[in-house]
Each structure stands twice: as structure tokens, then as C-alpha cells.
Amino acid sequence: MPHWIVVGAGIAGLRAALTLASAGEVTLITKEVASESNTHYAQGGIAVAMGGSEDVQLHEQDTIQAGDGLVFAPAARMLVEEGPARVAELLAWGTNFDREHGGREPGQLMRTREGAHSLPRILHANGDATGREIGRALLERASRDRRIHLHERVTTCDLLLHDGRVVGVTALDASGQSKEFVGNGVLLTSGGAGQVYSDTTNPAVATGDGIAMAYRAGAEVADMEFYQFHPTALSLPGAPRFLLSEALRGEGAYLRNHHGERFMERYHPLAELAPRDIVARAITREGFGERPGETLPVYLDMRHVQGKDLHQRFPGISSFLEKYGLELSRDLVPVRPAAHYLMGGVRTDLYGRTTLPGLYAAGEVACTGVHGANRLASNSLLEGLVFGARAAETVVQEGMHGDVPKPMFEQRIVAEEPKTSSDVSAMRERLRGLMWLHAGLLRDEAGLLAMQSALDAMRPELPAAATRDAAELRNLHTIAELITASALARKESRGAHARTDFPDHDPGCAKHSRMVQGRVDFIDLTATLPR
Ligand code: SIN
């Protein structure tokens, strides 16, 4: 019986594991406990066109428009067309999305509108805990499947190759012991890399491990310059950069500058519901003070919203804010952008295949081109579901069914001497701060070159991946290199990539960046990849 390895237990990994287990054994590896992933923290919801063919078409249009000229249209079509069936499956598997209590349609699924959506089509669960509820339902189903073997607190370090084919991963278990997992193929579903920035909504596990491992092994990555900054993360001294869901604006919240003025109408006709990249940059600009480096507060305001119980609609956000003495219906809530979602990743076709035989990827770790230069709000959980299932189907169809070969393992980075954990965490913090400064929401050539020099200087200092912290630092360094090189190469502004020295679109740059073994070029995506 074939045996597959899935790295990452968020929505894409769990959904994929369920399909794989129908045809073989599955080793599902996660760096923390299975519930700790970006999926778990997804608040707003899951965008899905459950209203028939017109809704599907509009969802496709909205996705393409938000992506600022770079969405790979066949991927967007698959996302919106296959989405409703995948969400119906979630409902059948016991996911409790919120439903109307009264009104004209009691019992119907509640739908919210979010930025750049032409219709209210965002389903949510427990108000603002959608990812947690979906993750719960999928994990419960996966736990009942005897063919899915969950390995928690295991850090994957590198891919194992045999005759040019990916056959497994090396890893460190919870006690720091080295391990190898070998199988008929590896599916990466390890999520994003928000920890590469000092300011992020992402949990500590989001260190880009899958992308870094795949790149080191020779896989192509694409669109790494496109990091989405969520406009509204809490901005209070001493408080984490807690996500304040876009659904708050969907339910009527305004943004106000330090004069108390609404300002979004000056930036986009959709005002607070403009695409996320536009809102994030507008908040940043409104926050510039008179003196260099001075920042002024920007606020989210729900005080005018009538007829809604905000505690009931947003219980998680409300109880988090309460800890800091804030209440949505009473207070202005200070916000500023934070790194949230990586549109780029390991380049895949529409079937989850990467450029390395035996290696597949789905969800945030992958780049199908579905989000282009800027992801439409609440399309990420849907992406994990649709492309997780698609990739698993491909793995089953293509997987080697013969014996699993003994791999050759190459340790690719060797430190000059072991580093202490305080060295490692100091390097991590330095890297994250520099990335925020030089490769964050607003970029230019001088800053990106300074970032490149800092990364070059850090490289000889990197420790061997002998501990989880060291492995993560090495991966963050790789991710920083990929983002910086791709951002330098794209000499225009588009979607989430804003170059102050090239503020406009360059129609000649309406292509996807691709990076492999240190080289960046620009390509059109196609439905299949060369092997
Ligand atoms: C949010 O609730 O604003 C985040 C959801 C998303 O990233 O699409």
C-alpha cells in the first residue's frame, strides 16, 4: 500500500489527508499541536459562491480584480467553481457555520460582505472563529481515520531525494532527535511565513519551512515579492499584533485618522471595503507624521453601528480587546497593518505538482497564481480546501506504488560552530526587524539592497538546523532572500508590492516572478509545469 507524507495540518493538509487516506497510509506531520496553524486563527470567514452561477461568475471577477492584473484565470475559475461543493462537504462533515436566527430566512447560512467582494458571500463560524471551527471538524474526521498517522511537535528540516525524486523529509522530533520519514511522495501544506516580519498577524509557527525546504532542494518558487499586509491589526504598545477581522468593516466599521476624519473615500470608491492592499497603504500614509519616523494613530470605529450585538457577532475579538480595556461599541480601536498572507510560494500547476517529481504543494505554501498580486479577502480557507483536495487527488493518481527507495541525504548548510539559543533568537529578531524596515509595505531599491547586504552578512553566521529554533532561522533567512530578490527584480508597483521608486504599474511587468537557484525571471503561468 502506498504511503504519503503530508507536512502541515492546517486546512489544506487535513483536507488532503482525508482524500489520501482513501488510497493509502498518510503520515501527517505538524510542528506544533495540530490545532496550531494559520487556519486556526482565520477569523473573518470563508468566501464561497453558494448562490448559483451568477454568484460564481462574480466571485471569479472579484478575485481577478483584487489580484491587480496577475491572477492566473484558470486557477481562479477552479477556486470559485469547485468551492461550493467543497464547502458542502464541510457542512456534511459537521462544520457549524453561523445561521440566521430570525428575519426572512431563519436557519439559512449567514453571509457577510468583505473588502472588494461585490456580494455578501463570506460564511463564518462562532462569529469570528471560522478557521478554528473548520479545523475542528476536519481534525475530528481525520482522527477517526486509522490510516492517518499524526505526528505532532515534529519540525521538518529538509527534503530527501532519490534519483532526482522527492521521497521524504528529514526532521527533528519534540526531544530534538533527528528522524527521517520516507514515502511515495511528499505533499507540502505547511502554510505561510509571516514570522519573517517583526509585525505579523501570523502565529509563531509560520516560518516558511515548506517553501524554504523546497527551494533548497531545487524547486521553483514564484511571486515571492507579494506579501499581503492586513490593514487592521491591533496597534497598542505591549499588545500582540492581533488581527481585527475585515468582517468588522464588512459590518460597517469606519477607519478614522488622528483628526477623527474618515479618509478611505479619498483613496478608493469602495472606501473601507476597497481591496486590502489599498486600505493597508492608505492607513500607512494617514499615519505618517510631519517629522521623519513620526507615526500618528489610525483607528477602527464601530461606535455608530446600530442594531447589531457586536459581542455576539465578534466574541473572540471582543474578549481580546476587553483585556486592554477596549470595547467595539464604545471605543476607537488603534490599528495599523501587519504581514498576513503570502501570495507567492512553491510554484505549482493546477493539480498541486511542483517542478520536482514526487513533491506536491497546496494552500498558502503554494503559488498557483490564484491570488495574483493581492488576495481577495477570505479566499484563503477556500484555497486550502479546493487545492488541498485537488493536490491529494493528483498524488493518488500519480504516486509511485512500488517500494519506497532508501534516500540519499545531503546536509546542505553546516555551521562553523554551534550557536546558543540566545544567539539564534537575537538573529531572528534582527532579521524580522530589518525585513519590516526594508522589505515591508513600502519598498525602494536602496532599502532592498541594504536588506540584501544584511542577509549576505548573516549567511555565514547561520547555525546548522540542529534545533527547531535554528531550523526556523535558516528557513526565515531563505524566505527573506527570496522576498528581497523578487522585490528588487519587480521594478513597478502592483497589488501588495509597492515600490516608492516605481509607483506605477509597468504593463511590461504583468508577469509572474520565478526564482530558482538564485536567479529571478518573469514568466506567464501555464496550466501544467515542465518536468
Ligand atoms: C480577516 O478576517 O480579515 C482575515 C481573513 C482573510 O485573511 O481573508
Side-chain angles (χ1 to χ4, degrees):
M1 175 168 296
H3 189 143
W4 294 294
I5 295 159
V6 179
V7 181
I11 187 167
L14 289 168
R15 180 61 193 80
L18 290 167
T19 290
L20 292 173
S22 64
E25 301 282 330
V26 184
T27 292
L28 178 58
I29 301 174
T30 177
K31 199 162 61 170
E32 261 302 327
V33 291
S35 58
E36 184 67 2
S37 64
N38 262 345
T39 296
H40 180 81
Y41 294 93
Q43 294 176 355
I46 182 162
V48 62
M50 306 283 264
S53 62
E54 200 186 333
D55 190 7
V56 169
Q57 259 174 29
L58 285 171
H59 190 188
E60 182 182 350
Q61 257 175 41
D62 293 345
T63 300
I64 289 174
Q65 206 151 352
D68 205 4
L70 220 55
V71 167
F72 182 45
R77 193 156 320 123
M78 259 160 206
L79 179 80
V80 299
E81 282 180 353
E82 294 178 19
R86 293 295 170 216
V87 170
E89 218 171 47
L90 280 186
L91 286 162
W93 294 345
T95 310
N96 293 309
F97 289 113
D98 296 332
R99 292 179 182 273
E100 302 286 352
H101 294 300
R104 275 186 297 169
E105 298 183 312
Q108 291 297 305
L109 292 168
M110 287 171 95
R111 288 162 213 202
T112 300
R113 191 167 163 206
E114 288 183 1
H117 283 272
S118 51
L119 292 174
R121 63 165 77 89
I122 320 297
L123 307 186
H124 46 86
N126 300 320
D128 53 12
T130 314
R132 194 167 68 206
E133 170 59 12
I134 295 175
R136 177 203 63 75
L138 288 174
L139 188 57
E140 267 180 32
R141 194 170 174 87
S143 313
R144 287 197 299 271
D145 195 317
R146 297 164 79 106
R147 286 190 178 163
I148 299 178
H149 311 280
L150 179 64
H151 296 256
E152 294 183 313
R153 297 199 171 86
V154 172
T155 303
T156 47
C157 296
D158 270 303
L159 295 173
L160 288 163
L161 289 123
H162 181 77
D163 285 345
R165 186 181 175 88
V166 175
V167 294
V169 295
T170 63
L172 296 168
D173 69 13
S175 61
Q177 296 296 307
S178 300
K179 286 194 151 192
E180 287 183 358
F181 294 88
V182 178
N184 296 83
V186 173
L187 173 55
L188 297 174
T189 53
S190 46
Q195 288 294 322
V196 78
Y197 290 105
S198 54
D199 287 42
T200 181
T201 59
N202 289 187
V205 289
T207 52
D209 305 341
I211 300 169
M213 284 195 307
Y215 179 75
R216 281 196 294 271
E220 290 182 9
V221 298
D223 288 347
M224 289 296 291
E225 65 275 36
F226 294 117
Y227 220 110
Q228 181 169 79
F229 296 86
H230 196 288
T232 58
L234 182 64
S235 174
L236 273 182
R241 303 303 320 280
F242 182 76
L243 177 67
L244 295 167
S245 175
E246 187 138 346
L248 295 166
R249 279 172 283 133
E251 299 288 354
Y254 295 150
L255 287 164
R256 295 192 185 276
N257 62 20
H258 74 291
H259 297 301
E261 296 162 356
R262 278 184 77 192
F263 56 83
M264 273 312 302
E265 281 146 345
R266 284 193 267 116
Y267 292 87
H268 196 277
L270 289 173
E272 278 83 359
L273 291 181
R276 217 170 246 188
D277 56 326
I278 292 168
V279 183
R281 281 194 294 276
I283 292 176
T284 303
R285 296 214 155 96
E286 293 292 316
F288 285 150
E290 304 263 301
R291 288 180 292 281
E294 185 191 9
T295 52
L296 303 168
V298 172
Y299 302 99
L300 200 65
D301 183 8
M302 292 202 92
R303 295 171 304 173
H304 57 283
V305 176
Q306 303 290 319
K308 283 181 189 159
D309 181 341
L310 297 179
H311 268 279
Q312 191 185 38
R313 176 66 184 84
F314 299 109
I317 293 174
S318 298
S319 68
F320 189 88
L321 290 178
E322 241 167 57
K323 290 191 227 158
Y324 295 90
L326 293 171
E327 196 174 302
L328 286 172
S329 58
R330 186 190 64 204
D331 297 306
L332 289 170
V333 180
V335 292
R336 68 194 154 90
H340 185 60
Y341 183 90
L342 179 57
M343 273 72 73
V346 182
R347 185 177 163 218
T348 69
D349 64 11
L350 300 175
Y351 305 89
R353 301 182 192 104
T354 72
T355 51
L356 292 183
L359 183 67
Y360 305 81
E364 191 175 351
V365 67
C367 179
T368 55
V370 69
H371 307 302
N374 178 45
R375 175 174 64 81
L376 182 68
S378 288
N379 263 357
S380 56
L381 290 173
L382 192 68
E383 173 195 23
L385 267 189
V386 167
F387 289 100
R390 288 185 72 85
E393 281 159 12
T394 313
V395 172
V396 169
Q397 278 161 24
E398 294 191 340
M400 270 193 314
H401 292 268
D403 287 342
V404 175
K406 178 85 187 103
M408 304 286 293
F409 175 56
E410 273 178 63
Q411 181 75 27
R412 282 163 205 270
I413 294 185
V414 180
E416 283 157 11
E417 55 187 58
K419 296 278 186 294
T420 64
S421 64
S422 63
D423 289 337
V424 170
S425 75
M427 273 175 89
R428 178 172 169 143
E429 290 319 304
R430 185 149 54 90
L431 181 146
R432 299 175 71 216
L434 288 171
M435 280 297 285
W436 183 256
L437 186 67
H438 294 310
L441 203 131
L442 299 174
R443 305 152 172 189
D444 64 15
E445 184 170 82
L448 291 166
L449 288 173
M451 190 68 225
Q452 224 165 28
S453 305
L455 291 167
D456 290 346
M458 253 179 225
R459 196 176 305 110
E461 296 288 309
L462 288 175
T467 62
R468 171 171 160 179
D469 287 353
E472 288 184 341
L473 173 62
R474 186 174 62 135
N475 292 338
L476 288 170
H477 185 272
T478 303
I479 298 294
E481 286 186 324
L482 297 175
I483 293 174
T484 305
S486 310
L488 261 173
R490 185 175 290 281
K491 296 189 190 323
E492 65 157 356
S493 290
R494 185 181 291 279
H497 171 69
R499 291 267 310 242
T500 53
D501 46 353
F502 294 99
D504 301 317
H505 273 185
D506 174 353
C509 282
K511 288 183 181 264
H512 298 265
S513 69
R514 165 178 63 177
M515 194 162 172
V516 60
Q517 293 175 344
R519 288 186 322 277
V520 188
D521 62 359
F522 288 88
I523 55 166
D524 288 315
L525 293 182
T526 57
T528 52
L529 292 178
R531 282 280 175 79

